[in-house]
Amino acid sequence: MKINPIIPWQGGKRRLVKELTKNIPEHKCYVELFTGGGALFFMREIASKVEVINDIDGELVNLYRVVQNHLEEFVKQFKWALVSRQMFDWLKNADTSLMTDIQRATRFYYLQQLAFGANTTSRSFGTATTTKPINLLRIEEQLSEAHLRLSGVTVEHLSWDKCFEKYDRPHTFFYADPPYWKLSGYGMEFGLDQYQKLADLMSSCDGKVMLSINDHPDIREIYKAFNIQQTELAYIIGRKVESRGKKSELIITNY
């Protein structure tokens, strides 16, 4: 069942889904190590027998679990909500320590829908002259398919390597979409040693692994032993001129 991701996400792979899908091998267990917005998970035509989505971001994981299990109560939280800069700032600065999981999920969803560039670390209220803001009256309609898509899916909140080790089997397919090397805005440290660790696991694991990453000499050196495909995407969002234009992306597999 092909549907749209439920939130925008910095570094999302919506435009790369067609190329990624072509490279998915036969498997029984599908695991995303860095789910983020989950473009590949949501936009694939055919679901796998067993599916696992994982992310280190606790607020994101909470959102998926709430949409999976408590959609009706989630939608009720938007009854009196408005699309406004004032509400955005209020929610951004709100103390989440006393919120329920459903309230936290509502806050995260609202902020992510309205944040400029889908940034999760330094959110600012996004404005646009060519697209409409989120329609708060149609949230249930928009998320009903996602609720069904998430049915039976295991939602994990593990470090990527712990998730890898937990699910590595000969019939497992891993999709890895880690933070891009030398690009900021992800809100987490991901040093070159982490890419090397992933390469080491790709060499020794039982399962099949597909990695999508930005094209950089350091990355090509680390993954030179694997199959590397190059593709290009046009980036148009960003305040800095150097962040726009065509960028080379790599799809790397161990099969």
Side-chain angles (χ1 to χ4, degrees):
M1 179 172 60
K2 180 180 178 180
I3 63 175
N4 287 322
I6 65 176
I7 52 170
W9 196 257
Q10 182 169 306
K13 295 297 177 294
R14 296 185 190 219
R15 290 173 297 160
L16 201 58
V17 166
K18 184 180 291 186
E19 290 300 317
L20 293 173
T21 302
K22 292 177 184 177
N23 288 277
I24 295 179
E26 290 293 322
H27 64 279
K28 293 181 181 177
C29 179
Y30 173 94
V31 181
E32 289 208 8
L33 300 171
F34 309 82
T35 300
L40 183 59
F41 168 76
F42 284 111
M43 298 179 73
R44 288 186 302 142
E45 294 283 357
I46 302 174
S48 304
K49 183 177 180 180
V50 176
E51 295 179 309
V52 180
I53 58 175
N54 173 71
D55 205 277
I56 197 64
D57 189 323
E59 294 303 303
L60 176 66
V61 168
N62 180 62
L63 172 64
Y64 285 137
R65 288 175 175 168
V66 167
V67 171
Q68 181 185 52
N69 298 293
H70 304 290
L71 181 59
E72 185 177 348
E73 290 301 317
F74 176 83
V75 172
K76 286 180 181 178
Q77 301 297 310
F78 291 94
K79 184 174 182 180
W80 308 111
L82 299 171
V83 175
S84 73
R85 189 182 300 273
Q86 288 78 10
M87 179 166 280
F88 180 91
D89 290 338
W90 177 74
L91 284 172
K92 184 175 71 170
N93 298 317
D95 180 5
T96 61
S97 61
L98 297 179
M99 290 184 180
T100 66
D101 288 349
I102 293 173
Q103 289 170 330
R104 282 173 46 221
T106 303
R107 171 185 177 273
F108 185 83
Y109 179 83
Y110 180 93
L111 292 176
Q112 202 59 24
Q113 289 288 349
L114 296 174
F116 176 82
N119 194 306
T120 60
T121 57
S122 55
R123 292 186 179 108
S124 60
F125 185 76
T127 56
T129 59
T130 57
T131 59
K132 294 180 180 180
I134 180 176
N135 186 340
L136 297 176
L137 299 177
R138 302 187 66 180
I139 288 178
E140 185 170 16
E141 176 186 332
Q142 293 166 350
L143 294 183
S144 291
E145 288 184 331
H147 170 72
L148 295 174
R149 178 68 183 87
L150 287 164
S151 177
V153 174
T154 299
V155 183
E156 293 277 22
H157 181 210
L158 300 169
S159 63
W160 72 268
D161 50 342
K162 290 289 178 58
C163 184
F164 197 118
E165 293 164 6
K166 188 178 183 69
Y167 291 98
D168 186 24
R169 304 289 189 281
H171 54 261
T172 299
F173 165 68
F174 294 100
Y175 171 52
D177 180 30
Y180 278 10
W181 176 230
K182 291 196 172 181
L183 291 181
S184 61
Y186 289 96
M188 63 178 291
E189 292 295 328
F190 204 86
L192 204 60
D193 62 309
Q194 294 293 292
Y195 300 101
Q196 184 62 61
K197 185 173 185 178
L198 178 56
D200 293 342
L201 287 173
M202 287 173 67
S203 295
S204 61
C205 67
D206 293 323
K208 295 181 173 66
V209 186
M210 176 171 66
L211 163 69
S212 57
I213 193 70
N214 59 317
D215 192 353
H216 189 281
D218 293 341
I219 297 296
R220 285 185 176 269
E221 176 62 25
I222 290 173
Y223 295 98
K224 62 185 179 183
F226 303 102
N227 297 314
I228 299 177
Q229 300 177 46
Q230 179 180 333
T231 185
E232 287 190 342
L233 290 178
Y235 289 88
I236 58 175
I237 295 178
R239 290 190 172 98
K240 297 180 179 179
V241 174
E242 59 267 25
S243 66
R244 304 175 185 177
K246 287 188 176 181
K247 306 287 185 181
S248 180
E249 303 263 340
L250 301 179
I251 299 174
I252 304 171
T253 59
N254 69 345
Y255 48 87

